């Protein structure tokens, strides 16, 4: 199967650079630093407006300003222009999800087209179980203006239909809700649906959480029956250190007087992309307890640690494939998982994703862990001292053991 179908020439180039096994670790890091061809917000918006940011940046800016002004006629044009100029800067890699949704209305995009744009700009598409996003999906689907849609949003909010349920997050999955939303007719049907379906709606991704929990079950408590409870008892720090490479990621010590040199350094755009949303003890604990959503980055890292675990995205072929076939199989399984969770597929023009691709090309999956460690230690050389590094030789993965 051709893994580069639908890729642009630049994306194909970056994919091949990551996966052809021609670069040493040092060369791979240098490739990202000097020639990453990072996909910017400007690049993405060029595709959805049909205006090349390379050939006519002013026309692109004018188009985007007009699109946003059409959604908010009372806004000050100067303020909108400032926002758009920020979006079009070379180091702008993401914008808020609500801002991107508003732009989808302004550009007259369909639900599916807006969903694709969201995945590229924000890393995730529409969440069809989120009552707030359901209103915007409905507006796009029925050709409403942004103002009309926001009137519906305010009306639903005033009736308390957008508040999270006080019950635990339901187990309903997106496909079920999607089929119901697509069938909605008039505005009253939308309001009725939000009222009656509230118990099965929520802001957290169920598919992603179930996979996240399954991966953790395997990593920290493979022989225990009541797995989730036992996961909660394990020190979060052990999970972070062993499987999420925390010691390789610099942390800013906010509010402390004694900042280390690591805390003081200013990150490059490359470092920011890899560092962004990397979990700490607080965020991972909240993910486990369903207080916040599981992130795309955490799910990818746990997928690599387990090679898909015992889920539908597991490796079923074992030793029957060549290294190249094994990589392509893992690549397809990983993309399948991300798609089913509503996340963006692996993008060779996103630095974190490029690192993942490069590290996945180890001759055997058990060597991926060591490659990730060494790669991160090159990207963040001051995050950990030499004597603190794990043994990063390609002799195996971390042992599945925790101190209790």
């Amino acid at each position: 199967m051709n893994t580069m179908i639908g890729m642009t020439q630049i994306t194909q180039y970056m994919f091949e650079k990551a996966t052809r096994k021609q670069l040493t670790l040092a060369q791979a890091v240098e490739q990202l630093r000097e020639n990453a061809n990072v996909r910017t917000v400007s690049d993405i918006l060029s595709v959805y407006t049909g205006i090349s940011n390379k050939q006519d940046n002013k026309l692109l800016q004018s188009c985007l300003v007009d699109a946003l002004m059409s959604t908010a006629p009372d806004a000050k044009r100067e303020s909108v222009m400032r926002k758009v100029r920020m979006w079009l800067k070379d180091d702008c890699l993401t914008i808020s999800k609500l801002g991107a949704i508003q732009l989808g209305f302004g550009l007259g995009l369909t639900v599916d087209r807006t969903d694709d744009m969201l995945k590229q700009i924000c890393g995730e598409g529409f969440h069809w179980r989120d009552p707030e996003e359901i209103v915007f999906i409905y507006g796009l689907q029925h050709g409403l203006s942004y103002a009309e849609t926001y009137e519906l949003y305010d009306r639903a909010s005033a009736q308390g239909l957008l508040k999270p349920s006080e019950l635990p997050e339901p187990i309903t999955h997106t496909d079920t809700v999607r089929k119901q939303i697509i069938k909605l007719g008039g505005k009253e049907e939308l309001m009725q649906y939000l009222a009656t379906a509230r118990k099965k709606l929520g802001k957290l991704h169920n598919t992603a959480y179930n996979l996240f929990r399954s991966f953790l079950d395997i990593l920290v408590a493979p022989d225990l029956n009541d797995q989730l409870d036992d996961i909660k008892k394990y020190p979060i720090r052990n999970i972070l250190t062993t499987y999420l490479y925390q010691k390789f990621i610099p942390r800013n010590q906010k509010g402390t007087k004694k900042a280390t040199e690591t805390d003081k350094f200013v990150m490059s755009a490359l470092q920011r992309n890899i560092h962004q949303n990397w979990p700490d003890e607080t965020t991972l604990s909240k993910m486990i307890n369903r207080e916040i959503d599981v992130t795309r980055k955490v799910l990818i890292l746990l997928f690599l640690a387990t090679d898909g675990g015992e889920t539908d995205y597991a490796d079923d072929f074992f030793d029957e494939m060549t290294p190249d076939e094994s990589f392509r199989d893992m690549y397809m399984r990983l993309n399948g998982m991300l798609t089913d969770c509503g996340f963006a597929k692996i993008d060779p023009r996103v630095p974190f994703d490029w690192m993942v691709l490069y590290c996945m090309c180890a001759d055997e999956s058990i060597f991926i862990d060591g490659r990730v460690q060494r790669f991160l230690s090159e990207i963040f050389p001051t995050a950990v001292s030499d004597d603190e590094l794990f043994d990063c030789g390609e002799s195996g993965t971390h042992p599945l053991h925790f101190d209790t």
Side-chain angles (χ1 to χ4, degrees):
M1 182 178 292
N2 187 351
T3 53
M4 294 190 288
I5 292 176
M7 293 185 184
T8 64
Q9 285 188 326
I10 296 177
T11 305
Q12 287 184 25
Y13 167 80
M14 292 303 295
F15 182 89
E16 290 176 345
K17 278 287 186 181
T19 61
R20 284 292 177 88
K21 300 184 181 180
Q22 296 175 339
L23 301 178
T24 65
L25 177 68
Q27 290 171 335
V29 173
E30 190 65 19
Q31 167 72 31
L32 276 190
R33 285 178 176 152
E34 301 297 329
N35 193 25
N37 289 299
V38 175
R39 192 187 307 279
T40 64
V41 168
S42 179
D43 292 331
I44 296 166
L45 295 181
S46 290
V47 173
Y48 290 91
T49 59
I51 301 172
S52 172
N53 59 335
K54 307 300 181 186
Q55 297 177 359
D56 202 333
N57 196 62
K58 288 186 178 180
L59 181 60
L60 175 59
Q61 178 178 314
S62 177
C63 174
L64 295 173
V65 170
D66 289 344
L68 289 177
M69 288 298 299
S70 73
T71 66
D74 295 335
K76 292 183 179 180
R77 191 173 182 88
E78 294 78 9
S79 298
V80 175
M81 289 179 65
R82 282 196 297 272
K83 174 183 287 189
V84 170
R85 282 197 296 269
M86 291 288 291
W87 288 356
L88 298 183
K89 285 185 176 181
D90 289 340
D91 61 350
C92 183
L93 304 182
T94 185
I95 63 177
S96 73
K97 194 172 185 180
L98 183 57
I101 291 173
Q102 184 175 354
L103 191 54
F105 277 90
L107 294 174
L109 303 181
T110 63
V111 173
D112 289 343
R113 192 78 168 143
T114 303
D115 186 68
D116 289 340
M117 184 175 71
L118 290 175
K119 287 178 180 176
Q120 291 191 50
I121 292 181
C122 308
E124 67 174 48
F126 279 119
H127 186 199
W128 288 71
R129 286 183 50 256
D130 185 334
E132 293 187 0
E133 294 192 23
I134 288 173
V135 176
F136 293 112
I137 291 170
Y138 178 90
L140 287 169
Q141 184 177 314
H142 290 265
L144 303 182
S145 69
Y146 186 74
E148 290 173 318
T149 303
Y150 219 89
E151 286 180 8
L152 277 178
Y153 181 95
D154 284 342
R155 180 180 163 193
S157 179
Q159 295 178 27
L161 302 179
L162 304 184
K163 292 181 180 179
S165 172
E166 296 179 359
L167 299 173
E169 277 282 328
I171 60 173
T172 310
H173 290 274
T174 297
D175 284 344
T176 302
V177 174
R178 186 198 303 262
K179 292 174 183 177
Q180 295 168 344
I181 294 172
I182 289 174
K183 294 179 181 178
L184 294 177
K187 297 176 182 178
E188 295 307 318
E189 282 191 42
L190 170 66
M191 294 298 167
Q192 180 71 16
Y193 178 79
L194 291 174
T196 58
R198 189 179 174 201
K199 291 182 180 179
K200 61 184 177 184
L201 301 179
K203 292 186 173 295
L204 305 183
H205 288 79
N206 280 333
T207 301
Y209 178 75
N210 289 339
L211 289 165
F212 166 78
R213 177 176 137 178
S214 177
F215 295 152
L216 287 183
D217 286 345
I218 291 171
L219 293 173
V220 305
D223 299 321
L224 299 175
N225 293 323
D226 192 7
Q227 295 154 320
L228 181 59
D229 287 340
D230 285 297
I231 285 173
K232 291 180 178 180
K233 295 175 184 176
Y234 274 91
I236 300 300
R237 186 175 303 159
N238 290 343
I239 299 173
L240 287 163
T241 300
T242 310
Y243 303 111
L244 299 179
Y245 311 103
Q246 186 185 46
K247 69 166 58 181
F248 296 90
I249 306 299
R251 290 290 170 193
N252 293 323
Q253 302 298 323
K254 296 179 181 179
T256 61
K257 295 182 179 180
K258 295 181 179 180
T260 66
E261 289 303 313
T262 299
D263 299 326
K264 296 177 183 177
F265 84 96
V266 178
M267 291 187 190
S268 67
L270 166 62
Q271 290 171 321
R272 286 201 305 274
N273 179 269
I274 294 177
H275 186 276
Q276 184 181 29
N277 295 326
W278 206 284
D280 55 21
E281 290 185 46
T282 300
T283 57
L284 189 62
S285 177
K286 287 183 177 180
M287 286 180 199
I288 291 173
N289 290 286
R290 300 225 73 182
E291 297 174 36
I292 62 173
D293 223 346
V294 174
T295 64
R296 176 181 183 272
K297 186 166 286 185
V298 166
L299 202 60
I300 290 173
L301 291 171
L302 292 178
F303 174 91
L304 294 181
T306 61
D307 196 12
E310 297 175 355
T311 69
D312 291 340
Y313 312 98
D315 176 11
D316 293 328
F317 293 96
F318 303 103
D319 298 326
E320 298 176 10
M321 295 183 287
T322 67
D324 285 345
E325 290 171 340
S326 180
F327 162 76
R328 278 169 169 68
D329 174 68
M330 178 179 281
Y331 174 74
M332 298 301 291
R333 288 186 286 112
L334 175 54
N335 270 339
M337 178 191 75
L338 293 173
T339 298
D340 290 345
C341 291
F343 293 133
K345 293 181 180 180
I346 294 294
D347 185 349
R349 292 180 63 187
V350 174
F352 172 79
D353 290 14
W354 195 90
M355 178 191 77
V356 168
L357 282 173
Y358 177 81
C359 293
M360 280 171 56
C361 284
D363 287 339
E364 294 184 36
S365 61
I366 60 171
F367 298 148
I368 292 175
D369 177 74
R371 287 169 74 98
V372 174
Q373 290 185 53
R374 292 201 309 280
F375 203 105
L376 290 174
S377 68
E378 289 287 333
I379 294 293
F380 303 108
T382 60
V384 59
S385 61
D386 290 341
D387 58 350
E388 290 179 305
L389 289 173
F390 290 115
D391 175 12
C392 293
E394 296 190 346
S395 58
T397 56
H398 295 312
L400 303 183
H401 171 74
F402 290 92
D403 296 325
T404 56

